[in-house]
Amino acid sequence: MEMAEPQFKEYAIEEFTVRGEPYYRPVGDELELFTGAYNQRIPVLLKGPTGCGKTRFVEYMAWKLGRSLTVVREHDGSASSPNGSGNGDVAVPLVTIACHEDLTASDLVGRYLLDADGTRWIDGPMTRAVKAGAILYLDEVVEARKDTTVLIHPLTDHRRILPVEKRGSIIEADDRFLLCISYNPHYQSAMKDLKQSTRQRFVAIEFDYPPPEIEAEIIQRESGCSAAQAESLAKLAVKVRNLRDEGLEEGASTRLLIYVGRLMTEGISARRACQAALVWNLTDEPELQRSLEELVTAVFE
Amino acid sequence: MEMAEPQFKEYAIEEFTVRGEPYYRPVGDELELFTGAYNQRIPVLLKGPTGCGKTRFVEYMAWKLGRSLTVVREHDGSASSPNGSGNGDVAVPLVTIACHEDLTASDLVGRYLLDADGTRWIDGPMTRAVKAGAILYLDEVVEARKDTTVLIHPLTDHRRILPVEKRGSIIEADDRFLLCISYNPHYQSAMKDLKQSTRQRFVAIEFDYPPPEIEAEIIQRESGCSAAQAESLAKLAVKVRNLRDEGLEEGASTRLLIYVGRLMTEGISARRACQAALVWNLTDEPELQRSLEELVTAVFE
Amino acid sequence: MEMAEPQFKEYAIEEFTVRGEPYYRPVGDELELFTGAYNQRIPVLLKGPTGCGKTRFVEYMAWKLGRSLTVVREHDGSASSPNGSGNGDVAVPLVTIACHEDLTASDLVGRYLLDADGTRWIDGPMTRAVKAGAILYLDEVVEARKDTTVLIHPLTDHRRILPVEKRGSIIEADDRFLLCISYNPHYQSAMKDLKQSTRQRFVAIEFDYPPPEIEAEIIQRESGCSAAQAESLAKLAVKVRNLRDEGLEEGASTRLLIYVGRLMTEGISARRACQAALVWNLTDEPELQRSLEELVTAVFE
Amino acid sequence: MEMAEPQFKEYAIEEFTVRGEPYYRPVGDELELFTGAYNQRIPVLLKGPTGCGKTRFVEYMAWKLGRSLTVVREHDGSASSPNGSGNGDVAVPLVTIACHEDLTASDLVGRYLLDADGTRWIDGPMTRAVKAGAILYLDEVVEARKDTTVLIHPLTDHRRILPVEKRGSIIEADDRFLLCISYNPHYQSAMKDLKQSTRQRFVAIEFDYPPPEIEAEIIQRESGCSAAQAESLAKLAVKVRNLRDEGLEEGASTRLLIYVGRLMTEGISARRACQAALVWNLTDEPELQRSLEELVTAVFE
Amino acid sequence: MEMAEPQFKEYAIEEFTVRGEPYYRPVGDELELFTGAYNQRIPVLLKGPTGCGKTRFVEYMAWKLGRSLTVVREHDGSASSPNGSGNGDVAVPLVTIACHEDLTASDLVGRYLLDADGTRWIDGPMTRAVKAGAILYLDEVVEARKDTTVLIHPLTDHRRILPVEKRGSIIEADDRFLLCISYNPHYQSAMKDLKQSTRQRFVAIEFDYPPPEIEAEIIQRESGCSAAQAESLAKLAVKVRNLRDEGLEEGASTRLLIYVGRLMTEGISARRACQAALVWNLTDEPELQRSLEELVTAVFE
Amino acid sequence: MEMAEPQFKEYAIEEFTVRGEPYYRPVGDELELFTGAYNQRIPVLLKGPTGCGKTRFVEYMAWKLGRSLTVVREHDGSASSPNGSGNGDVAVPLVTIACHEDLTASDLVGRYLLDADGTRWIDGPMTRAVKAGAILYLDEVVEARKDTTVLIHPLTDHRRILPVEKRGSIIEADDRFLLCISYNPHYQSAMKDLKQSTRQRFVAIEFDYPPPEIEAEIIQRESGCSAAQAESLAKLAVKVRNLRDEGLEEGASTRLLIYVGRLMTEGISARRACQAALVWNLTDEPELQRSLEELVTAVFE
């Protein structure tokens, strides 16, 4: 049996600019803080729990800063927007890298590949971001290996350079380049903390789950469930997050609440949807599962 | 002495769609839950003990969803089923990967191979699954290395992309693609737990051993033993699983009960078949072995 | 000084079928149990102490099953025996792999080698066994790495397939293929136990040292010593194995008793032969050595 | 959508001499000590906390020593300055390497690369520095692997050589070469201390944060904030650093104070700027964050 | 300055047969035991402390067994001795490998090397020994990695084969091949003990330091010192070895006593020679050094 | 900006013979002991604290032994000195290797490199030393990996060979070859001690800091300071080394005292020079630093 090659889309990383305004609901003055830091090209550290919207926030800022940069450049009489397109709806390129302990410096900076004509150099995503003037977003940076952490030092002080040691060369970052990292303070053990010599190179912005009325707005918009259902879920979220004091490892993320909403739009009962997306997901402990089920019953009775 | 090359069959992974309806006996509403999650393309986490049928369930869903997708597409006026064959008996391709701590990101995503004309890129099974719109089933995901776990993050949020860092490219997943992972909560130590930032990207479905009357039905069908023998074995299974409170590491899986049935169809006595497939298998402790043998005697006397 | 290339014999692994009936002395119904499991193609786990005859048993079964398979096929009108030879004295091919923590999945499944014309794929012994319909015997399987253990999962359930991830292909096992593993329960620490999800894929057969009258028969036949000497050695073995309660790590294997017999046929005194092959071998502790020497004196006085 | 290749600058490491006089505000006689050590070519160890200006100091010395060397050489009648340019504003080349535990000796010394014509040797940054007569600055040297630490031994005694073991050759350092390392005594555990056999090859210069009046001068100059704001920040810094006795891991670096000043020039309030650049950055502990906020309030009320 | 290539000799391992009768002074019936084991081709384990003569003993046996083999073969009418030379003074080839934890199976068995015409297989020393019918001597076998230990299993039972997994082939050992391993019981920790499943494949011969009169004979012959000096040193050795009960890690080997003798023939005083070759060598503890010096004074007064 | 390739010198390791008589001030009969051991070709172990002159001693012996060898050979009527030059001022080649835990056996012995014509073998420094008849000096040998330590066994007994396992060959050492290792007893933990089976292959020479009058002579000669200053520094050294009982990790090496002298010749005050080269260098503990400063004040008042 033969099978036709399925359709799929593949992009170069530089092309992965955010297309269209991403949905992001601000909670405080985080937009102003990030913009101020970006204007000064001060690297930014985003702190907060799982699924509270850090990744979405960076996407939104990449889109928003792209718009303003375009305007600024047009005032300067420059003929084209930074991405080469004429309309105003462009973004600063965004390169996102999920950090982990097996990611090597070579994976980030680049490597030599053997070719028919000998070895050829291939830029890694960090090098591409530095050259392209992207926002480079290192997600969960404390999971990275030491050699990765150290790479960002000369990019985050007055030098703004990336040494490419394997080539014996140094790259000066594009004017628009900014490094941004994220970090979940609830996770860190003494073993895997961010070193002060790294940490003190950033301005920090702390995130938390949104307040209930804003979270309900987000759930309804993202899941397509009813306003009443969304409000109930936001109410439930507050109660669930309080269980952290009783042994729950981490509170329910907004993402999980949206999952419940989406399962309900598929005709699955609220109780069953909460069981699959919240109760069974958040813990394996029968005791805690019972406490969670009681909260679900209390809200959806 | 020369030997003729023996006959054997080899397939490309994409061709490994489930052929014919697999035998799966539902216990609750797990079919509805999985279908709802699939329609919303919410990734699924299957939890449950060894040998309770998680792998068979995924195969069944791949077959079942393939049927409905074909029907839907035909309603859309599309001429062919997703797998290029005209009949309705097709499945969503299923790519199963047993996770372990030596499986690298390159094993999953792909690698460059040196060729007569230089290096050539070879897609790994994860990349093939993402392109082919398969259900990608990562079995025992907590055994995987960190770099493997992190690969699934951008595949499980609104982005639905697979960054192929070694090529500097990004692949958007096919519309039909879904990630599915399994996990046995009895095993996990603190060291090898699923991180919340990974876990909260899934809807969870909890499995357990089937109730005795359904398990007897399964044993009889799969082993070819008599109904009476199957009933006795299902009864024995309940008793054996209760021994977990007295030190047995894990209960007898349905698979082991089927083994007993199959040995009996070979003419081996019930007592001897239980000894080989249950007693000697489940534990090395003489004390526990004696307890198990007493249960066998009690049921087959 | 030049030296002529010495004579030696080299075989392909597929050719390593057991030639001629191996000497194996059954103790219970282990032949029937293994035959039943093989007919049902249920994988087999052999448990037992060092040197109790597990390896010899597998060789014998490979020879014996080859004979019956040949007969069966001839009844089917097939012209040739499985190994392409016309006589009945053939065996199922046997591929034995001694497991250890540095054996990689690539060592077992195969790898790409760089050639004058680029890379070429070389099948590993596991792939060869799967294709050739061999009995694949993984000796001391708990010593294997995780990636090795996981390879056997799809070979040991209803799928009977070997995924060759580096080639993106799947191999269906030949009809005659069976996986067989061994395991010494006296060794295992908590760290290196067989996972239940692996273990519950096998039927288990427990072995122990043979009873004295059978062991004497084996010693005499294998060492060429006298019947009286063999009886004394079998008697000594029982006494030595009882020392395990007093700190001896493991009892004397039948192999060591055969060594004593063979040294005696070389004219070395019983006392001295026992010292070299038993006392000095079994322990470095002076206290235990003295106890062993007393047992030797008691038996050979 | 295509994107034009963005503009960026790339240099060879040898070219990375410090251009123009870097801003460095001396606190004591550190310039004289370093100059004395350099004249004697005694390697230098810089000790001090994060962000107290060690890197900037080395850059300044490289610039300053380059000036005097040029003058000296001209007195000798040599026609050109060390860097081949005619004007006096040159520097000793400075090669900075951030040390970490995944940096190998090959990364530093060089390696063979496979080429169309076979293997070709590529000098690493340490080899380039030794040949070019640079100041080689190994930042946070205790983070380096043992093989890296050992490389510096023959460079730091009377031999002044770099053995390039992979090539079987030895390089004598250029006359102008000096090794300089840095080290933060607050970090070191027993595990990662500098061995005495390495340490006793250096003259040590201890750094600390500058006194308030000098630090205010630096903050104002580097951030563009007002003199009053800079004075307040310097005052705040003293108070914050005293919190180290109450659990704060490390005091605020001058760099963080400059960040606050720069955010204020972007129109962000002093309180909010301090929160982002100091409070949230320095600790994740709510208790300590409250203490820090009180200090901020006290200073900026 | 050019330097002429110095003279040196290089051999293929197969050529490294022991030339001329090595000096070995038997202490008990170890020659008979080894000869008996060799005739039966039973693998041999040599146990004993550092420097008691195990390596010299194996060299002697290789020489001695070569002589008798030659004679036997000549009786058979074979025209040439095993090494292709006509005279009787030949030896069984001896391949010695010092084991350590970084020695891989590939180092022993062989590997593929990339050549102008693609990959070429190079036999490792173990493969050469197996083919050449050598005595393969694995020195300090417990230091070896697991993959190395496991390699010797099929070489040490009735199979006498070496599986070369990377080539998918099996080599039958030459008739003359024997495996011999050594082991120092004083060193072993629980972590690094020889597994029983390996150990029970050998006949063991225990060695200890020779008695004083024999040791004096050896010292005099090997160092060229006077008979009186040799006697004093042998007397000293007994006293020094008794210090093991008072904290000395291991007694003085015969080799160290020979060193003392050789230094004395260079005109160095007995006291000073003992200090360098015994006192300073055996321990770094000042207390133990004083005890040793007192023993030296007592003997050489 | 282009930069002319700076001048630097590169040698082959064989050429790195010590040129001209190195400055070495004997303290006892260490010259006679080393000469005696060299004449007997007994390997030498140098023991002593950091910076007490072990490396300089070996260089001196290489120079001195080269002179006598040349004379001896001329008496034999040989036409040229060992290094091919006619004058008497030659040295035995000296190959120094600083050991560390990432140095592999391949780094020392050699490796295959891929070339245009396939693989080519490159001798490592140990192989070069063995062929060239050099003194091979392994500095801080306990830092080496096991595979490195084991390499030296056959070089240090009657065999005097280097097995090159990757080539399947054996190299007999040149007549002039001697192995010399160093070791600092103050460092060693139980984990990283020299094994007795390695240690008992050497004659040991213990070093300590020189007595004050000799040390003053060395300081004055090496630093160019005045006799009075040198005497004060030698006096200070004794006091500082006594602080080891009060927590100082290791005493001041002669090298550090020379550094103080050299800083003083640059016009830096005695107090400041001692602070940089002694106080700040020897410890990070404020308490110990104060004790050290008091000693400095007491001596230089």
Side-chain angles (χ1 to χ4, degrees), chain B residues 129-148:
Chain B
V130 164
K131 288 178 174 178
I135 292 177
L136 175 62
Y137 180 49
L138 301 179
D139 197 12
E140 299 203 41
V141 75
V142 288
E143 301 292 338
R145 305 202 311 180
K146 282 278 171 60
D147 62 340
T148 310

Side-chain angles (χ1 to χ4, degrees), chain B residues 45-54 182-188 205-209 250:
Chain B
L45 162 62
L46 306 181
K47 290 164 65 176
T50 294
C52 68
K54 299 188 295 289
S182 78
Y183 168 82
N184 181 344
H186 290 130
Y187 276 176
Q188 313 327 322
I205 305 180
E206 278 197 4
F207 285 79
D208 206 344
Y209 303 115
E250 189 154 338

